[in-house]
Amino acid sequence: MKQDPNVRCDLQVFRNNSYHRTIALSKETCLFLRRGQKFTISLKFQDQTLSQEDLAKFTLITITGPNPSKLNGTKNKFKITSLGDRRTWSARVVDCVQGTWKVSITSPADAIIGYYSILLKFNNGIVEDIGEFMMLFNPWCEDDQVYLCNEAERQEFVLSEDGIIYLGTENSAQSHPWHFGQFEVGIPEICQKLLNMSPRYQQEPENHYLQRNNPVYIIREIGDMIGRWDEKDRVDFMCENRRLSYTLVSSVPILRVWFRGETQSAYGHHWVFAAVFCTVLRFLGIPTRVVTNYNSAYDTDRTLQKEIYYDKNGARVHRSRNDSVWHFHVWNECWVERRDLHKEYSGWQVLDATAQLKYNGELCCSGPAPVKAIKDGHVELSYDSKRIFSKIYTETKVLVRDAKGHFRKAYSKIRHVGDGISTKSVGTDAQDDITVNYKHPKGSKEEHEAVARAKQLMLQNQQDPDYNLMFISPVVVSITSKNDQLYGEDIGLSVTVCNVGGEEKDLELVLGAQSVHDYGITRTQFWSEKFHFHLSSGEERSVSGRINYSAYKKELLDNNLMRITALVKEPKRDDGCYALADQDVTICKPSMVIQMPKVAVQFQPITAMVALFNPLNETLNECVIGTLGKGLLHGEKTYRCKDVLPGDTIIYPLTFIPTQVGERRLYVQLQSDKLGVINGFQGLEVLSSDIQEWSSHHWEEFHKCAEDNSRHQAYDDTHLSLSIQTSDTVLFGQDIPITMRVSNHSQLKKKVCMFLYAQYLDDNGIGCPYFWKEQSELSLQAKEDNTMSAQIHPLDYAVSPSETNVVRLISLVKDMAEEAIQYCLVTVTVSITNPLEENLEDCFITVSGEGLIHKERAYRCETIDPNTNGRYTIYFSPSQSGARKLHVKFGCRQFRDVISSHVIDVLPANILSFKRG
């Protein structure tokens, strides 16, 4: 027979996870802690006579790692005392109530992150395992290396699961929504596997495990592991397969697929690597953000130079993949104290999880490199600062192939590398230009010194020709066109050629267009036009070109990016001049419109209207809408839609039931045969189903939303109405009289709950916290009205935090259990009274109801003591609207077939849906 344990431990999971800001990971099952922060457990001993002096003889033990040892700090023993110590593992008694001891445990701010077991050793040598937890970094702890002092930034870079990644070009940035999902189910196990699968850890597990208290080490290990997904040649892979990374909007399925071992193939685009990297680091507690560098150089850290080649028709050609400049490159920044460097280099560090080839042929990820070191040209500082510096400081030279096949230098406006670096703003979805963090003002003394310092360290004795020295060209060319064009429209452009030399010239102008990958590699030129003209000295000529939709519609890649070039040359002279201009044009797809309330209530259905205009002269076929949203939908939902005729608009309602409270985001993706993938998103705040948990801010948002909806929505709910009356002015010291009238318009008897709240308004009309409330219940017969009175006494409103002396009254009537909404969760409490002088034993309840419960359900209940009530809670979701009957049957050893029926008025699910038109 198994003996009872000497101690029962309650890890207080919900309380501790709330305190450690990990409640989104687990509310009740798993304990997730942030290091350097205390947590509380409860101990109840078999021996009820234990005193605090007896507890002081016991030892708590925490163990972690492959071979826990006291010598290396993976096995820690500490006594339960009356004092705590923030510098090391410690425990102190907080309270004792009825034999249950509450103990507060503190972990050091440099504890190893990962899974721990916690044990209790008695003074007789017996050791009992009392639980386990996972330790994370703590940006709220001042002694932690990842400490971030700004609360808004901690919310954004650690706790926020949704973000924006900026794609496109510097002049036409495209917002790509992304769900990082660091608190989704399974992410802890995935992150632990990423660390354990590291080749270095596999070779020396004990030595490498000891370094897991250092965020710099963790960053490098995770970056290396994510980069190893890129074992194939990424650029060739993308060019050959055109993998639709643009359809991806979440890190979670990518990580889950890898965890299940279903694929090791690359996900292609660099922003996907950056997004996944961000997910893992945010989960571990390291503040992280996604950063986009426009016009990013590739593989130039040994030269800081890039030669860009064109053929005789002005088409971009590639002698190797390394001669490209990426339109944009996405990496990460994380906030870390660099204890291995001078303190001025702590703060934002650059991390690049997109693997590049080392010179020995191996893959290599970059960082963490201090952003300040990049800005000041201190590229000797670890890690990989030279590689990051080269991405934003590289000089370019344009070469054009002449008639004999030789490449000759051409005059061209310089494509500046790294002149636009962006990230998402804190608290909003706006773009934040952070170029100033990486570069001193252009042309400044500080910039010159930083570049000179970096070149001295990187180029050493190599020749450093200045590609940006402008040579005098007798011909200048420029292109004028919109940086972004609407999909389906023809592209118009104007090119100006000017002869600034002293001689007249016969010139040939070649216009061309190519689709281009994000990595700067272009495809074959699909459109070209030639012009010939004679220009006298100082003469200028403008020509126009037009690229028809029919010419480019089948040539565009997933990024909808096109490069237009204008090459001017002297066709009759071998030694003639060359001038080239280029411009990147983004073909913009129509924007998706998602219209829905900004505020919703938990477990109440809400409808979002999705609309998309078809700008083409062709029908959109094979239209599919995909939706996802944590806390809004269970998994991803897919809907097939009708075809969209030319010039028509698809309008599709999406009805869902929010289940989780807080700020949420609905992601919508529409795919069609002509427009490909179009992504959209819309945020909303979900309020608790228990209105007593609402703050004054929640009430403000709810009423503001209700006012907006009243102008745009029609409600079918006419079952209850409520009005409130009071005096416009009341003399100070008098009662504030209130009259409320509630009406039941339905054909059924209703039991309702009425809430009345009062709050002060400040000078801006914003409500202060509620200072008074009253709640009452009443029953209303069918078609019955009821009037109720209340008053607020002077003592209740005498002390006002505002000088306006304005009080707002808010009333709410809530139908109780007799009313429900189709497909929404309904809670019913069944009460059984035992009238006997003996226990009711072998109790069971059977419930049924057409349109309410799919099949008859039976529940076994606990014994009911004499003259007491037994209460049982039942949950179900009605499937049909209208008046429905719930049948409840109770039975026990003494009684059989005690039956009760209850009418529930089920409102249709579309009660809150938008009215068309």
Side-chain angles (χ1 to χ4, degrees), residues 154-171:
R154 288 192 292 242
Q155 293 289 328
E156 181 75 45
F157 304 134
V158 180
L159 299 184
S160 175
E161 292 189 79
D162 297 299
I164 297 291
I165 302 174
Y166 290 98
L167 314 180
T169 65
E170 180 183 0
N171 296 320

Side-chain angles (χ1 to χ4, degrees), residues 439-450:
K439 289 186 169 185
H440 291 285
K442 186 175 292 295
S444 66
K445 177 183 176 183
E446 291 81 5
E447 183 196 40
H448 177 77
E449 291 175 348

Side-chain angles (χ1 to χ4, degrees), residues 709-727:
N709 290 342
S710 66
R711 290 190 291 268
H712 304 291
Q713 301 179 22
Y715 292 89
D716 298 326
D717 184 9
T718 57
H719 294 82
L720 290 174
S721 63
L722 176 67
S723 62
I724 181 172
Q725 292 181 341
T726 187
S727 300

Side-chain angles (χ1 to χ4, degrees), residues 795-855:
L795 291 178
D796 293 321
Y797 68 75
V799 182
S800 170
S802 172
E803 297 180 358
T804 61
N805 294 324
V806 177
V807 173
R808 171 185 287 165
L809 300 175
I810 299 173
S811 60
L812 177 72
V813 59
K814 180 181 179 182
D815 198 345
M816 300 181 71
E818 292 142 350
E819 187 177 88
I821 298 179
Q822 188 181 14
Y823 306 126
C824 288
L825 188 67
V826 176
T827 303
V828 173
T829 301
V830 180
S831 179
I832 307 294
T833 302
N834 180 5
L836 306 180
E837 297 299 325
E838 59 178 304
N839 293 341
L840 298 184
E841 299 176 338
D842 300 328
C843 303
F844 67 92
I845 290 177
T846 302
V847 293
S848 61
E850 184 180 356
L852 299 176
I853 298 174
H854 177 57
K855 292 182 179 179

